[in-house]
Amino acid sequence: MRRKGDLPTKVCAACGLDFAWRKKWARDWDAVKYCSERCRRNKGGA
Ligand SMILES: [Zn+2]
């Protein structure tokens, strides 16, 4: 599956869903592990 925008994607460590690069993560994309703040607070769950 190829996305249109060619943005990098990752799999959320909390919910397991794919999520795409966002501007707000431009600085620390390498460190991003969760698709949202909610998941970040929820880590380990699910
Ligand atoms: Zn998530």
Side-chain angles (χ1 to χ4, degrees):
M1 274 235 280
R2 190 84 175 143
R3 289 177 60 92
K4 266 191 190 172
D6 247 2
L7 293 173
T9 61
K10 287 190 178 186
V11 176
C12 176
C15 69
L17 295 177
D18 288 349
F19 61 97
W21 183 93
R22 288 184 207 167
K23 217 175 211 174
K24 67 174 183 176
W25 293 325
R27 285 185 50 153
D28 45 22
W29 175 245
D30 279 348
V32 173
K33 288 181 184 149
Y34 308 102
C35 66
S36 63
E37 286 226 0
R38 191 177 160 197
C39 278
R40 190 165 37 160
R41 286 196 220 109
N42 247 344
K43 53 188 159 189

